[in-house]
Amino acid sequence: MLPLADVQQRLRNAVVADDFRAAAPLLIGGVDATRRLAIHRRHYETSLVAALMGRFPATAWLMGTAPIEDAARRFVHIHPPTAPCIAEYGRHFGVFLAAEPGAERVPYLQSFAELDWHLGRLAVAVDLPAASRDEVAAVPPLELANARLTIQAGTHYVEASHPIDDLIRFYLANDAPERLELPDMSVWVEVRGARGAFRFARLTPAAFAFRASLANGLSIGDSVARAWVADASFDPGAALALLVDAGLVTGIDGQWAARN
Amino acid sequence: MSSTHRIPTRAGVGLRLPHIEEVVATRPSAGWFEIHPENFVANPRATELLQDLARQYPISVHTVGLSVGSVGGIDRQHLRRVRALIDLIDPILVSGHLAWSTHKGEYLNDLLPLPYDRETLDIVARHLREVQDGLARAYLLENPSSYVGFTGSTMTEVQFLNELVDRTGCQLLCDVSNVYLSGQNMGYDARGYLDGLPAKAIRELHLGGFTPEEDEATPGGKVLIDTHATRVAEPAWDLYAYAIQRFGPRPTLIEWDNEIPALGVLLGEAEKADAVAREAGRSEAHHVAAG
């Protein structure tokens, strides 16, 4: 018998890459056991295509179910999941879709599909207790710049070349016009989700840079620096107060927090 | 570590996400519920609801992604996520499959078959110990549904499971429908299979629907597919009655994962399992008295 590592490599190649040749001599089951192994290949494909279609409902609404399903069928064989939680699968399907022939006709397809994927994540999020102004004010002023804030997990920041937030709101409301021209207009959007409900807010480029940087784990000081690149008149104190008042901050990390 | 809930005497049903809000809202009469942790560890809202249900119902955790048969080892990050969920809901039982699904960083989203030989036995035994240590509790191993076997296997599945129980102290989840399905697909006697299992190690039974289709491997033949998309078939109910006679009453679960019906249909199947088990128990008592 081959080492188990070789057996599993051959079965993997059959299931993922449709190459049954090396597995055939290892198997028993019926007259042609590779046809039986094909049951696993079929399950792999159908279950993952179904999972992707479940994660990209708005994208299928926008582009049509058939082309998205065709793309999903190819995607699952090129990019297998890397973790057992299939709800987390498909994060990069938007990049794949944007490289498909014809995708250039929909220049916002990648960002729209990525937003679609994140909506699935935000729909199942729950809000955690938010930090108060007093808790943030307790950080010594000299240490504030190095502090990092934890932002509500059900928050997503997206910058797009077209108003895809309007488009996804049409999908969510099931209320799309017969024909819609999306203008060539950059948007900076904050999406909050919890327990199935969503809120969309358009931000200024500077506020977006500040909040998205914090959400990506940058310190307050570095996030302010990003915001100043977008707008030299950006007011960090007011922006921080607005962020806290919106209930978006759930934790404060830094040397100060470690000492306390 | 053991749960504060008692092991249930009534059959339970698999709790899938489409039903969770309804179960929270209606609190149906049910023996217990079983969940797949992979549906919850990335879903805070569903976990919140599950924690609520766990205060009222016994819950079992049935993993589909731990992959004890993968030569590459256990995904420790996933094991930690499962442990964290277990710590939240205090399940009555934790189980998974004699199968593999991960390979060099890929997750193949299926329960793939293993050859039964010494090397596989060593690997699965090592991984079972790691899982049981990581979860700090006994782990029940489920017999697979099989469409293929391996020319290189040197022992039967029953021999393999017996050796694993002896080596690791793991316990077994006997999926009665899988025994029937695999017996049909691979040509062995399902009752003989049950006779060979170590009765004391059987802690749970599963019943699920399967779907016959044309067997492309054998022209004119049929192959049974483990779809979990239909009611339990009559031959599986018959084998379940035999399992109860052979092992005695065991916590029994109805699995239905695809084309999921109304919750009432699932609970009806659980009631049927209770009725079949009661009848099988009476029949067994009659045999004992007559003997």
Side-chain angles (χ1 to χ4, degrees), chain B residues 241-249 277-291:
Chain B
Y242 182 78
I244 294 294
Q245 289 167 355
R246 166 91 175 82
F247 305 132
R278 273 195 305 274
E279 183 60 32
R282 274 200 289 273
S283 169
E284 173 63 8
H286 173 75
H287 288 313
V288 170

Side-chain angles (χ1 to χ4, degrees), chain A residues 1 4 8-9 12 26-28 30-32 36 40 42-44 47-48 81-82 85-86 88 124 195, chain B residues 41 43-45 48 69 71 81 103-104 106-110 119 147-152 213 215 217-218:
Chain A
M1 187 69 188
L4 186 59
Q8 294 187 342
Q9 181 68 55
R12 180 266 174 210
L26 308 179
L27 303 173
I28 54 174
V31 177
D32 177 1
R36 293 277 190 88
H40 289 288
R42 185 180 69 194
H43 178 261
Y44 170 83
S47 64
L48 291 177
T82 55
C85 296
I86 293 305
E88 296 172 324
V124 299
R195 300 184 176 89
Chain B
V41 295
N43 188 330
R45 173 62 180 147
E48 189 177 64
V71 73
R81 293 175 94 181
H103 180 77
K104 296 182 180 173
E106 295 173 347
Y107 176 70
L108 305 181
N109 202 38
D110 200 359
E119 185 200 5
Y147 312 111
V148 296
F150 290 86
T151 54
E213 63 176 50
D215 185 4
T218 310

Side-chain angles (χ1 to χ4, degrees), chain B:
Chain B
M1 190 182 292
S2 62
S3 170
T4 52
H5 283 289
R6 299 179 64 171
I7 299 289
T9 54
R10 295 168 58 197
V13 299
L15 177 60
R16 305 299 173 242
L17 294 180
H19 286 147
I20 194 163
E21 303 256 5
E22 181 184 355
V23 171
V24 169
T26 63
R27 309 285 168 159
S29 172
W32 51 300
F33 291 108
E34 182 168 274
I35 60 108
H36 294 168
E38 289 77 10
N39 291 337
F40 287 84
V41 295
N43 188 330
R45 173 62 180 147
T47 300
E48 189 177 64
L49 297 174
L50 181 64
Q51 280 183 271
D52 182 13
L53 292 177
R55 287 190 275 273
Q56 177 178 347
Y57 297 97
I59 305 285
S60 72
V61 167
H62 188 53
T63 67
V64 295
L66 277 180
S67 191
V68 296
S70 285
V71 73
I74 298 292
D75 178 341
R76 290 180 182 154
Q77 185 186 2
H78 186 55
L79 184 62
R80 283 193 293 274
R81 293 175 94 181
V82 173
R83 171 67 187 266
L85 183 73
I86 283 171
D87 288 345
L88 283 178
I89 62 170
D90 186 26
I92 49 169
L93 298 166
V94 181
S95 57
H97 300 87
L98 176 58
W100 67 281
S101 51
T102 56
H103 180 77
K104 296 182 180 173
E106 295 173 347
Y107 176 70
L108 305 181
N109 202 38
D110 200 359
L111 301 166
L112 294 165
L114 288 163
Y116 299 131
D117 62 12
R118 290 283 148 196
E119 185 200 5
T120 307
L121 189 63
D122 290 343
I123 288 168
V124 174
R126 188 167 69 241
H127 294 161
L128 275 176
R129 287 190 204 98
E130 185 178 342
V131 168
Q132 295 191 124
D133 288 348
L135 301 180
R137 63 181 65 218
Y139 187 73
L140 280 59
L141 196 63
E142 177 181 334
N143 54 294
S145 52
S146 300
Y147 312 111
V148 296
F150 290 86
T151 54
S153 285
T154 56
M155 59 183 89
T156 66
E157 190 168 285
V158 167
Q159 289 168 332
F160 193 88
L161 287 167
N162 273 280
E163 286 246 19
L164 279 175
V165 170
D166 287 345
R167 281 197 190 193
T168 68
C170 77
Q171 296 165 334
L172 298 179
L173 187 174
C174 177
D175 188 317
V176 175
S177 297
N178 284 0
V179 174
Y180 178 79
L181 174 152
S182 300
Q184 292 290 302
N185 290 346
M186 303 307 297
Y188 63 69
D189 173 44
R191 291 191 175 204
Y193 183 106
L194 293 180
D195 289 341
L197 292 177
K200 280 185 181 169
I202 309 284
R203 292 284 309 282
E204 184 183 345
L205 302 175
H206 268 185
L207 287 162
F210 47 74
T211 306
E213 63 176 50
E214 295 297 320
D215 185 4
E216 291 183 13
T218 310
K222 293 277 184 196
V223 62
L224 300 181
I225 309 295
D226 189 20
T227 53
H228 291 185
T230 66
R231 291 179 186 275
V232 176
E234 281 308 315
W237 285 120
D238 292 343
L239 192 63
Y240 174 60
Y242 182 78
I244 294 294
Q245 289 167 355
R246 166 91 175 82
F247 305 132
R250 291 289 189 275
T252 298
L253 185 104
I254 302 295
E255 289 186 298
W256 202 318
D257 295 301
N258 295 297
E259 297 170 42
I260 297 174
L263 182 62
V265 174
L266 286 180
L267 296 172
E269 290 282 275
E271 285 176 14
K272 182 170 181 179
D274 289 336
V276 170
R278 273 195 305 274
E279 183 60 32
R282 274 200 289 273
S283 169
E284 173 63 8
H286 173 75
H287 288 313
V288 170

